Amino acid sequence: EMMTDDSDTTIDGKLRSIPSAADMFVGYATIPGFVSWRNSERGSWFVQSIIKTFREYSKEEHLIDMMVRVNQCVATEFEASGHNKQVPSPVVRLTKKLYFRPGYYARK
C-alpha cells in the first residue's frame, strides 16, 4: 500500500516530504500474542523499566537508546513464577533522534 498523505520536514537544511506515518513511536509492552506481566504492588514490568530508565538516562540519551535499555531490563531483570519472561516490542518510525532533556530549559 502506498502512503500519499505527506508532511514536510527539514532534513540537512532542506525541506523534504515524508510519509504521514513517519515520526511515530509505539512502545508495546510485549510481543503480540504474549502476556504482559504486572506486579500487583509496583505495576507492570514494562512501565517500571521505562520509569527507571528515563529517570537515569533521559538527560543524555535519545528515545531509541533508552528503549533498548528498557528491553534489556524487562528481558533480564524480571521473572514471574514458573520462569515466565517478557520482552517489549517497540515499533519505530522515527526519522530523527528524539531527546526529552528534562530540565534543559530554564523556567522564567
Side-chain angles (χ1 to χ4, degrees):
E1 181 175 327
M2 211 166 101
M3 291 184 232
T4 57
D5 183 16
D6 295 339
S7 299
D8 292 333
T9 190
T10 303
I11 301 172
D12 297 329
K14 298 177 184 176
L15 188 62
R16 308 267 181 160
S17 179
I18 61 172
S20 60
D23 289 332
M24 284 193 222
F25 174 86
V26 180
Y28 292 104
T30 191
I31 297 168
F34 288 81
V35 298
S36 176
W37 294 94
R38 182 180 68 88
N39 178 288
S40 60
E41 294 177 10
R42 292 185 299 272
S44 78
W45 298 353
F46 182 60
V47 172
Q48 287 181 62
S49 298
I50 286 175
I51 291 168
K52 174 184 171 186
T53 301
F54 280 42
R55 279 184 177 157
E56 188 169 344
Y57 296 100
S58 62
K59 290 183 176 106
E60 66 252 4
E61 291 188 1
H62 60 85
L63 176 63
I64 302 309
D65 283 351
M66 289 191 294
M67 292 310 297
V68 168
R69 290 181 184 278
V70 169
N71 285 358
Q72 182 182 32
C73 181
V74 171
T76 62
E77 294 183 22
F78 294 94
E79 187 172 303
S81 60
H83 305 292
N84 293 310
K85 303 288 280 178
Q86 170 183 336
V87 66
S89 180
V91 176
V92 180
R93 295 188 189 134
L94 300 176
T95 61
K96 299 176 184 176
K97 293 179 179 179
L98 175 61
Y99 290 89
F100 291 99
R101 306 278 193 210
Y104 183 77
Y105 296 101
R107 294 184 183 189
K108 296 180 182 181

